[in-house]
């Protein structure tokens, strides 16, 4: 269980906190979508979980604070990429296997083969899409219980992403949790079991897909409701800009 | 045998360096710094033998003989700035520490991976260890030259001229 209690993070250069009093419990075996506008605090939340940022509050993994003893239970795939551009895929595999004792070699080979990625080419020569795929492959093969993904598919085409979601559902074991931060809400709505919404650093909604199914509301409509999205916003803006419709 | 040793040294330095980082520029800097440092330090030999020559006078019958009461300049005086290039190389090699830390932010954010390794000190080891070794190797080479020159000074200078 990943437990976050009253997490507050304020960046030195900013007055308002990036995360305010955020509490969450994420048990194993879930695929969680983390949604929010740009600057909502999604990336900050992930970086706090990983210990990259200092914070107020507590974050525990199976009852223990996150430290060098249990950090290998969390992996991270980011659109910024965390691989070494000069290394080949095979060299990455060796590096991960040397540092993460539960590295899943069989899963790695399977995913590399599925996405048809080159083994002996430095990552800097991969296309952006291939780099994203490899970043996610590493996160999924580290042998972590919690896989954090921060906009991992930025730059991948829709078919590519669709394939990945399907593979993800197929390969995940019952004890593995994926926390996926993305703006591609409609696309991932079929694949996630729970949606967490953050707005201005605060948790504004936490709902399971079963709860949404019961109410008959789609995920995108639920999110729009929570964000008080005004449907006529774009139309009014166009009218304001063009002056059409003014009497 | 020689190639194996070279490979072992190279493998060792790769193992204590950021993954995928080219060590070529560091190796070239270290080699050039030490070669130039050594050549510059040879100025001591030139000064020493020039100074040593002043201890003698030429006699047609006896050849070169010691001047009476001649004294050689102290070793330290003759050294002058012989090791300045070695020192500059040693200190400058420490700047690779900054470059190595920066490497984890170049082209990607591999720093994120390094920070979440079960051994979070690895990033620091990979950034600090090799440049400190470069510095020590350079200081070692300087010390070797110092001892060699000291030995030359004491072996080639007549005792009564000290």
């Amino acid at each position: 269980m990943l437990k976050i209690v009253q997490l507050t993070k304020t960046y030195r250069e900013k007055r308002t906190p990036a995360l305010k009093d955020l509490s969450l419990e994420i048990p194993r075996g879930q695929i969680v979508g983390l949604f929010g506008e740009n600057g909502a605090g999604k990336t900050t939340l992930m970086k706090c979980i990983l210990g990259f940022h200092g914070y107020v509050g507590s974050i525990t993994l199976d009852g223990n604070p996150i430290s060098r003893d249990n950090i290998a239970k969390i992996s991270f795939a980011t659109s910024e990429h965390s691989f070494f551009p000069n290394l080949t895929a095979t060299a990455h595999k060796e590096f991960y296997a040397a540092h993460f004792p539960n590295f899943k070699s069989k899963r790695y080979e399977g995913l590399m083969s599925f996405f048809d990625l080159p083994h002996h080419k430095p990552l800097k020569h991969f296309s952006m899409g291939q780099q994203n795929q490899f970043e996610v492959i590493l996160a999924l093969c580290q042998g972590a219980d919690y896989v954090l993904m921060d906009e991992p598919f930025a730059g991948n085409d829709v078919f590519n992403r669709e394939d990945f979601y399907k593979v993800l559902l197929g390969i995940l074991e019952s004890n593995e949790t994926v926390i996926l931060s993305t703006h591609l809400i409609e696309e991932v709505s079929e694949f996630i079991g729970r949606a967490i919404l953050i707005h201005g650093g605060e948790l504004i909604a936490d709902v399971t897909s079963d709860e949404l199914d019961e109410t008959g509301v789609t995920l995108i409509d639920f999110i729009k409701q929570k964000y008080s999205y005004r449907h006529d916003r774009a139309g009014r803006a166009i009218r304001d800009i063009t002056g059409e419709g003014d009497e | 045998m020689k190639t194996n040793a070279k490979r072992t040294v190279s493998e060792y330095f790769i193992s204590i360096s950021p993954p995928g980082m080219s060590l070529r520029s560091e190796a070239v800097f270290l080699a050039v710094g030490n070669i130039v440092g050594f050549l510059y330090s040879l100025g001591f030999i030139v000064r020493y033998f020039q100074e040593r020559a002043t201890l003698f006078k030429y006699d047609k019958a006896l050849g070169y003989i010691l001047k009476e009461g001649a004294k050689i300049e102290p070793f330290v005086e003759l050294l002058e700035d012989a090791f300045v290039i070695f020192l500059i190389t040693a200190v400058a090699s420490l700047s690779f520490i900054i470059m190595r830390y920066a490497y984890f932010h170049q082209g990607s954010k591999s720093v994120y991976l390094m920070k979440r390794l079960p051994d979070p000190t690895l990033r620091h080891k990979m950034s600090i260890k090799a440049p400190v070794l470069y510095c020590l190797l350079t200081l070692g080479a300087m010390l070797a030259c110092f001892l060699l020159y000291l030995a030359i000074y004491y072996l080639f200078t007549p005792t009564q001229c000290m």
Side-chain angles (χ1 to χ4, degrees):
Chain A
M1 165 92 74
L2 180 66
K3 193 172 178 184
I4 299 163
V5 182
Q6 294 184 311
L7 177 68
T8 297
K9 166 69 190 169
T10 308
Y11 289 106
R12 258 181 241 163
E13 63 273 20
K14 290 181 181 170
R15 283 182 194 166
T16 50
L19 292 172
K20 275 177 269 180
D21 227 12
L22 192 140
S23 295
L24 266 179
E25 284 186 8
I26 302 175
R28 288 172 190 241
Q30 291 190 339
I31 300 182
V32 181
L34 184 61
F35 305 111
E37 75 280 13
N38 288 327
K42 307 183 296 291
T43 302
T44 303
L45 173 61
M46 289 192 174
K47 288 182 178 175
C48 287
I49 294 170
L50 290 160
F52 297 168
H53 291 326
Y55 53 82
V56 176
S58 90
I59 302 176
T60 55
L61 189 62
D62 302 329
N64 300 308
I66 294 162
S67 67
R68 59 185 295 174
D69 297 329
N70 59 5
I71 188 71
K73 288 182 180 178
I74 307 174
S75 66
F76 184 45
T78 165
S79 54
E80 292 180 283
H81 298 149
S82 57
F83 52 68
F84 300 103
N86 296 334
L87 281 193
T88 63
T90 300
H92 276 90
K93 179 192 164 191
E94 287 163 4
F95 185 84
Y96 266 67
H99 294 281
F100 297 107
N102 297 327
F103 184 76
K104 295 174 187 287
S105 292
K106 195 178 165 194
R107 183 185 279 186
Y108 172 87
E109 296 300 342
L111 289 171
M112 287 294 287
S113 161
F114 178 78
F115 289 106
D116 200 20
L117 295 180
H119 288 265
H120 303 292
K121 195 173 164 183
L123 269 285
K124 65 182 175 190
H125 298 311
F126 279 28
S127 70
M128 176 62 86
Q130 287 178 317
Q131 289 181 343
N132 289 342
Q133 286 166 347
F134 190 71
E135 176 80 9
V136 176
I137 287 174
L138 287 177
L140 287 171
C141 298
Q142 184 185 302
D145 297 331
Y146 287 83
V147 182
L148 309 186
M149 294 190 190
D150 187 16
E151 291 288 353
F153 307 115
N156 285 59
D157 62 65
V158 65
F159 305 111
N160 213 296
R161 296 196 298 263
E162 188 95 4
D163 276 350
F164 213 101
Y165 303 137
K166 284 176 187 164
V167 169
L168 192 64
L169 284 181
I171 63 165
L172 281 183
E173 290 166 17
S174 58
N175 63 334
E176 286 178 288
T177 296
V178 172
I179 302 170
L180 175 63
S181 161
T182 179
H183 293 292
L184 305 167
I185 299 162
E186 284 171 306
E187 210 172 285
V188 299
S189 59
E190 283 179 44
F191 302 96
I192 59 168
R194 180 178 169 189
I196 293 170
L197 272 63
I198 302 179
H199 176 52
E202 288 180 276
L203 182 73
I204 58 163
D206 185 354
V207 66
T208 64
S209 39
D210 288 343
E211 286 167 342
L212 282 178
D213 288 345
E214 279 172 22
T215 57
V217 179
T218 63
L219 179 62
I220 188 75
D221 287 334
F222 175 78
I223 291 174
K224 282 177 178 175
Q225 277 172 23
K226 288 290 169 186
Y227 274 88
S228 308
Y229 178 78
R230 298 195 333 260
H231 289 275
D232 62 339
R233 189 169 162 242
R236 284 171 67 174
I238 292 166
R239 279 196 298 278
D240 288 347
I241 294 163
T242 60
E244 281 178 27
D246 288 347
E247 294 300 321
Chain B
M1 184 87 171
K2 199 177 172 184
T3 316
N4 280 347
K6 196 177 167 186
R7 195 178 298 146
T8 309
V9 171
S10 149
E11 278 169 5
Y12 174 71
F13 276 98
I14 287 170
S15 74
I16 59 167
S17 298
M21 195 182 116
S22 168
L23 301 183
R24 194 179 168 80
S25 57
E26 292 184 3
V28 167
F29 173 83
L30 199 65
V32 169
N34 277 277
I35 290 168
V36 173
F38 172 69
L39 294 175
Y40 189 79
S41 74
L42 288 176
F44 166 81
I45 301 289
V46 175
R47 286 189 294 279
Y48 169 72
F49 282 103
Q50 280 173 347
E51 177 67 14
R52 188 178 177 276
T54 64
L55 303 176
F56 297 89
K57 61 182 178 188
Y58 186 72
D59 183 277
K60 278 183 186 170
L62 300 168
Y64 284 100
I65 55 164
L66 265 179
K67 288 177 188 168
E68 227 171 277
K71 293 283 177 198
I72 196 162
E73 270 198 63
F75 176 70
V76 179
E77 301 263 320
L78 284 173
L79 270 182
E80 291 185 6
D81 60 351
F83 296 127
V84 72
I85 304 288
F86 274 124
L87 287 172
I88 289 170
T89 304
V91 172
S93 64
L94 294 176
S95 68
F96 288 122
I97 292 173
I98 299 164
M99 292 181 196
R100 282 168 170 247
Y101 271 111
Y103 176 82
F104 296 111
H105 298 265
Q106 287 164 356
S108 73
K109 288 274 191 178
S110 53
V111 63
Y112 293 156
L113 170 59
M114 298 306 289
K115 279 184 176 178
R116 59 184 187 81
L117 289 177
D119 178 7
T121 63
L122 191 63
R123 180 169 61 108
H124 306 301
K125 287 177 190 162
M126 286 177 163
S127 299
I128 296 169
K129 209 169 174 179
V132 168
L133 272 176
Y134 298 156
C135 179
L136 292 176
L137 282 171
T138 305
L139 292 177
M142 190 182 90
L143 181 67
C145 288
F146 177 86
L147 293 174
L148 176 71
Y149 299 158
L150 192 66
I152 289 170
Y153 182 84
Y154 280 104
L155 287 173
F156 288 88
T157 308
T159 321
Q160 57 271 45
C161 299
M162 295 282 193

